[in-house]
Amino acid sequence: MAQASATIRIPVSADQVWQLTGGFQSLPLWLPFIKNSESQDGGRVRHLTTDDGAEISERLQTYDNAARTYSYTIEKGPFAVKDYVARLVVKEDGANGALVEWSGSFTPTGMTEAEAEALFKGMYEGGLEALKANF
C-alpha cells in the first residue's frame, strides 16, 4: 500500500484553523481547485466538483471534533487508485500556532506506487499551502 502526507505550520490557533477545515463540506472555502461540495447521505458523503469539471465522491469515515480530525475514503474519482483512506488533523503548535497534517494511503491501479505517492503528496502540499493563505 502506498502512502503520502504533508504537514504545514500555520501561525494561528488550532481552533481557528479547525473552524475553517473542520466541516466535511468546507473544502470549497479553502481549497481553490474545489469549485463545489454537495452534501449527500445526511452529510456523510461529499460530492466534489473541481475547477476543471472532474467529479469526486468522498465518504466520511471518522470524525472527532474535540481532537480536530476526520478521515474519509474516495468512492468515485479520476484517480488511478483504490482503497484510498485519508486523514486531516489539526493540532496545537505552541500558544499561537497550528500544525496541520493531511495524509493518505492507497493502492495504485493505473500508475506506479512512486507516481501515486508523488501525485497525492503534491495535492496535499498544495492544499495545505492554500489553507495557510487564508490566515
Side-chain angles (χ1 to χ4, degrees), residues 17-39 45-51 56-59 70 72-74 79 84 86-88 100 102 123-124 126-128 130-131 134:
V17 175
W18 185 246
Q19 284 177 352
L20 181 58
T21 61
F24 190 56
Q25 304 297 328
S26 71
L27 279 182
L29 299 176
W30 61 271
L31 197 55
F33 66 85
I34 300 296
K35 181 179 170 183
N36 186 47
S37 179
E38 179 186 323
S39 177
V45 172
R46 60 185 178 196
H47 183 78
L48 307 170
T49 306
T50 65
D51 280 340
I56 307 163
S57 290
E58 298 175 336
R59 178 171 294 276
Y70 66 81
Y72 62 94
T73 56
I74 293 179
F79 312 110
Y84 178 96
R87 180 175 179 242
L88 182 75
V100 184
W102 196 355
M123 287 176 36
Y124 298 156
L128 293 178
L131 172 62
N134 283 277

Side-chain angles (χ1 to χ4, degrees), residues 16-135:
Q16 286 178 277
V17 175
W18 185 246
Q19 284 177 352
L20 181 58
T21 61
F24 190 56
Q25 304 297 328
S26 71
L27 279 182
L29 299 176
W30 61 271
L31 197 55
F33 66 85
I34 300 296
K35 181 179 170 183
N36 186 47
S37 179
E38 179 186 323
S39 177
Q40 298 175 341
D41 193 18
R44 295 201 51 87
V45 172
R46 60 185 178 196
H47 183 78
L48 307 170
T49 306
T50 65
D51 280 340
D52 63 3
E55 295 185 359
I56 307 163
S57 290
E58 298 175 336
R59 178 171 294 276
L60 184 65
Q61 296 297 316
T62 63
Y63 185 88
D64 187 334
N65 191 54
R68 296 192 278 314
T69 186
Y70 66 81
S71 66
Y72 62 94
T73 56
I74 293 179
E75 295 189 328
K76 175 188 159 209
F79 312 110
V81 298
K82 65 179 182 176
D83 304 323
Y84 178 96
V85 180
R87 180 175 179 242
L88 182 75
V89 61
V90 180
K91 299 177 185 176
E92 292 287 345
D93 186 30
N96 289 311
L99 198 61
V100 184
E101 181 181 342
W102 196 355
S103 61
S105 61
F106 38 85
T107 302
T109 58
M111 63 177 89
T112 68
E113 200 167 280
E115 289 170 329
E117 288 174 343
L119 170 72
F120 284 101
K121 183 173 180 61
M123 287 176 36
Y124 298 156
E125 288 174 342
L128 293 178
E129 287 294 336
L131 172 62
K132 185 176 183 175
N134 283 277
F135 297 99

